[in-house]
Amino acid sequence: KKPSTQLRKLVEIGSINSEYMVTVLRYIYYQNLAMRLIEDEPELRNFNGAIYENKRSRFQALDRDYIDITADGILAAVNSRDIPQGHRARYVREYTNLAYLEHEFGKTRRFFPPRLMVNQALEAIQAIKPCFMMRPTEVAKYLPKRVLFDVLIMDEASQIRPQTAFGSLLRAKQYILAGDSKQLPPSPFFLRADQADAEEHEFEDDSESILESAEKIVPRGNQEYLQWHYRSQHHSLINFSNTYFYEDKLKIFRSPHEQSEQLGVSSRYVENAFFE
């Protein structure tokens, strides 16, 4: 039936108020259009919401189970490691590995500094806690200068200067750099205490980030670009950047509200305003 015919029957039987006629007509029109599109597409026509929802729920449950099993497997593998026992000596500063840690764990005060602990018990520490979470500056300060880790993961790599990152990179067999090279590069401008000095160097060429440096030497096949954008609550917040920075490659979830005072970007005319 035509939308107008359906609307007329609803009016005749008194199902709708006259003030809602336009809204109801639009609803009927778009509902008919949607049904026609569904009938024309085999994938949509054969789609069963209940089956899809059941599969989605099962996948969620299996995914959670897989995460739990993986975590338990990693924990079991770590717990089965042999912890280097080390040895005791005349002076505590000469203790090594587990012997040194057990001595420190038994104390309530006057602990030795972290750097000494790492120097004397690094193998035992890595056997107990194989994953380290540290700032690049702390890596340079506390860890010895040799390969210590299988993998280094550096987040927000677009905000880290190469000279800051190299020390961490050289301590691992391979690395994963995560970041966005379209973001502003790291700048020392706000770190300068002397404003005159800041003005003098205001236009100097800032060093590129470790992410930008790596992009030049890491093979394309080892670079992965994430295309889904899900953080913006309204698509207008990211549209400009998507067009002018990401070549419209980002997949964006559109908001059901095209125009909203609460969400997105909007223009508001301000009378007698001025820009300074």
Side-chain angles (χ1 to χ4, degrees):
K1 296 180 181 180
K2 295 182 179 180
S4 57
T5 304
Q6 293 177 269
L7 178 64
R8 185 181 64 193
K9 287 194 174 183
L10 291 174
V11 173
E12 289 175 350
I13 62 177
S15 295
I16 60 171
N17 194 308
S18 59
E19 62 179 302
Y20 300 121
M21 288 180 59
V22 175
T23 302
V24 174
L25 178 62
R26 285 177 177 171
Y27 174 81
I28 294 174
Y29 174 80
Y30 287 117
Q31 184 187 46
N32 288 345
L33 182 62
M35 294 303 297
R36 185 177 300 176
L37 292 173
I38 291 174
E39 288 299 321
D40 291 342
E41 292 291 336
E43 291 184 0
L44 295 176
R45 186 173 62 248
N46 298 326
F47 178 81
N48 186 304
I51 295 176
Y52 173 82
E53 183 62 28
N54 179 262
K55 289 183 177 180
R56 188 185 68 83
S57 300
R58 287 182 58 199
F59 176 81
Q60 281 186 321
L62 291 172
D63 191 43
R64 284 193 294 267
D65 291 342
Y66 177 77
I67 293 173
D68 293 339
I69 292 173
T70 302
D72 291 341
I74 294 173
L75 183 61
V78 172
N79 288 337
S80 64
R81 283 185 172 188
D82 291 329
I83 302 175
Q85 297 298 308
H87 66 271
R88 298 176 181 271
R90 180 177 181 181
Y91 300 103
V92 176
R93 288 179 176 271
E94 298 175 357
Y95 283 27
T96 61
N97 287 317
L98 189 60
Y100 174 85
L101 294 179
E102 288 177 340
H103 179 270
E104 285 296 289
F105 294 159
K107 295 164 62 175
T108 58
R109 60 190 181 91
R110 298 182 65 183
F111 295 100
F112 287 114
R115 187 168 184 173
L116 179 62
M117 177 183 292
V118 170
N119 286 337
Q120 296 188 218
L122 179 59
E123 290 80 7
I125 293 173
Q126 284 191 288
I128 298 171
K129 296 289 184 181
C131 298
F132 286 30
M133 185 165 64
M134 306 174 70
R135 297 184 181 91
T137 51
E138 293 173 342
V139 170
K141 183 177 181 180
Y142 295 120
L143 300 185
K145 301 179 181 67
R146 65 175 188 269
V147 176
L148 302 171
F149 304 102
D150 296 321
V151 182
L152 166 76
I153 302 176
M154 190 168 288
D155 195 17
E156 295 294 348
S158 63
Q159 301 303 306
I160 303 176
R161 295 177 175 278
Q163 59 267 33
T164 304
F166 285 150
S168 300
L169 297 177
L170 294 173
R171 287 173 169 86
K173 298 176 183 178
Q174 58 182 328
Y175 55 85
I176 299 173
L177 303 181
D180 185 356
S181 58
K182 300 298 182 182
Q183 292 181 350
L184 290 174
S187 172
F189 181 81
F190 295 102
L191 299 178
R192 298 191 182 98
D194 186 0
Q195 185 61 31
D197 182 60
E199 293 176 357
E200 180 181 349
H201 296 84
E202 182 174 0
F203 299 105
E204 70 179 7
D205 183 21
D206 286 334
S207 173
E208 64 183 0
S209 68
I210 186 61
L211 183 65
E212 293 172 291
S213 299
E215 284 179 330
K216 298 175 182 178
I217 61 173
V218 174
R220 286 286 181 181
N222 288 8
Q223 298 183 25
E224 184 70 27
Y225 294 91
L226 303 182
Q227 296 180 334
W228 289 95
H229 175 84
Y230 53 86
R231 289 185 175 180
S232 297
Q233 294 188 27
H234 196 278
H235 54 268
S236 64
L237 294 172
I238 193 63
N239 278 344
F240 180 90
S241 296
N242 189 26
T243 298
Y244 292 100
F245 293 100
Y246 300 103
E247 302 175 355
D248 287 319
K249 293 181 179 179
L250 292 180
K251 294 180 175 65
I252 302 170
F253 294 94
R254 296 189 66 84
S255 170
H257 306 288
E258 195 64 32
Q259 295 293 331
S260 172
E261 294 183 359
Q262 287 76 33
L263 299 174
V265 178
S266 60
S267 298
R268 181 188 303 173
Y269 176 74
V270 179
E271 191 174 358
N272 298 324
F274 62 92
F275 178 80
E276 181 178 3

